[in-house]
Amino acid sequence: MDNSTDLATATNKAADNASGRASVTLPTSEQVADEITSQEHELPRQTQAESDWLGFDQIPLTPVDPRHYTQVLCETIITTLVIFSALSVFIILVAELPILVALPVLLVLGLAFSVITWLRYAHAKSIAFAVCDHELLMQKGIVWFKRISLPYTRLQHISLSQGPLERKFGLHTLKCFSAGSGSAEIELPGLESSTAEKLRQHLLAKAGIASQSRNANINPDSSLNPEPGINSSFDTSSETSLKTPTDTSPDTHSERQESKPASLTTESER
């Protein structure tokens, strides 16, 4: 009995020491957040003059493949010819408009389709992009000029698509999706097949590196990993706690065996 009580007290002391050591070495989430905010406040902050700003126009942009211009032109001409033919048949045969009325209408339609064809061709020539160290840039537009900058930290998914005419000209369209958006942030057409695949792999690699560096800055290993001595103390305490029932069981079993003959002798004496 003395041995079992000594072993139980030793086990309790080991558990108390382990819990005390864990409470001292493991910082709470509030302490980690306070440490990060204090480090952010200690960072030097300097303002930059307007002359030191890096403008979008200062970055050289790469135009898309010239075959994309021909592909857009052919696609627009085929579409407009089909629509113009269908409208001509409807105006002349179905509506049966007089020639003096049908000709001006068809002339206006032909002029409108010509303007649409030119606008699509000019829009295709306005597309350009740039692959930077930390982001992907793209610009497009004629009347409504648009410039897009997608950081690699927000890049989540990249896909390549190819239509019938793009397959004929050997081109692909690169689509970049960011985190939390259902549609593509950047849709870059007119890329040659081998160039599109290389660019996709390069952007995925850049996105992986950016996400790893961001996770390393948010969750530093030194503040989250406990000391190795804590695990060993918990292991030893668990082993001793498991061994105590097995060690005390033979003593109690022998005491029960000794008590049984004593009861038998008292009955025999009676």
Side-chain angles (χ1 to χ4, degrees), residues 13-223:
K13 289 181 180 180
D16 294 337
N17 293 330
S19 61
R21 195 181 306 168
S23 62
V24 171
T25 55
L26 287 177
T28 61
S29 59
E30 296 179 354
Q31 294 177 354
V32 174
D34 294 338
E35 184 178 357
I36 292 174
T37 53
S38 62
Q39 291 177 0
E40 291 178 354
H41 287 298
E42 291 176 359
L43 292 176
R45 287 180 171 83
Q46 297 178 358
T47 58
Q48 292 183 347
E50 187 176 355
S51 58
D52 297 334
W53 295 354
L54 182 61
F56 194 91
D57 298 332
Q58 299 177 4
I59 301 174
L61 300 178
T62 304
V64 296
D65 197 292
R67 289 175 291 179
H68 177 64
Y69 313 149
T70 308
Q71 176 242 323
V72 172
L73 188 62
C74 293
E75 181 181 353
T76 309
I77 290 174
I78 293 172
T79 305
T80 53
L81 283 177
V82 171
I83 297 174
F84 183 79
S85 301
L87 291 176
S88 301
V89 171
F90 177 79
I91 291 171
I92 296 174
L93 299 179
V94 179
E96 295 182 355
L97 294 177
I99 299 298
L100 296 178
V101 178
L103 287 179
V105 173
L106 294 177
L107 183 61
V108 171
L109 289 176
L111 183 61
F113 288 148
S114 299
V115 172
I116 292 173
T117 303
W118 178 82
L119 287 175
R120 289 209 62 193
Y121 180 77
H123 182 271
K125 294 192 70 174
S126 68
I127 299 174
F129 67 98
V131 182
C132 303
D133 294 333
H134 304 286
E135 58 187 353
L136 176 65
L137 305 177
M138 178 184 175
Q139 72 174 11
K140 60 180 179 179
I142 304 173
V143 181
W144 290 277
F145 197 70
K146 188 175 183 180
R147 294 172 176 175
I148 306 172
S149 175
L150 181 61
Y152 297 140
T153 54
R154 295 183 58 232
L155 188 59
Q156 187 176 17
H157 177 64
I158 303 173
S159 64
L160 293 177
S161 61
Q162 189 180 46
L165 284 177
E166 287 180 331
R167 191 179 301 109
K168 179 68 176 178
F169 287 94
L171 301 175
H172 278 82
T173 299
L174 182 74
K175 296 181 180 180
C176 299
F177 298 86
S178 63
S181 64
S183 59
E185 290 283 341
I186 290 181
E187 189 170 348
L188 183 61
L191 296 177
E192 201 269 332
S193 299
S194 60
T195 304
E197 181 61 28
K198 290 179 181 178
L199 180 58
R200 187 181 74 89
Q201 295 178 1
H202 176 73
L203 293 178
L204 288 175
K206 283 287 188 179
I209 294 172
S211 62
Q212 288 178 0
S213 61
R214 182 182 60 182
N215 293 332
N217 292 329
I218 295 175
N219 298 323
D221 295 333
S222 60
S223 62

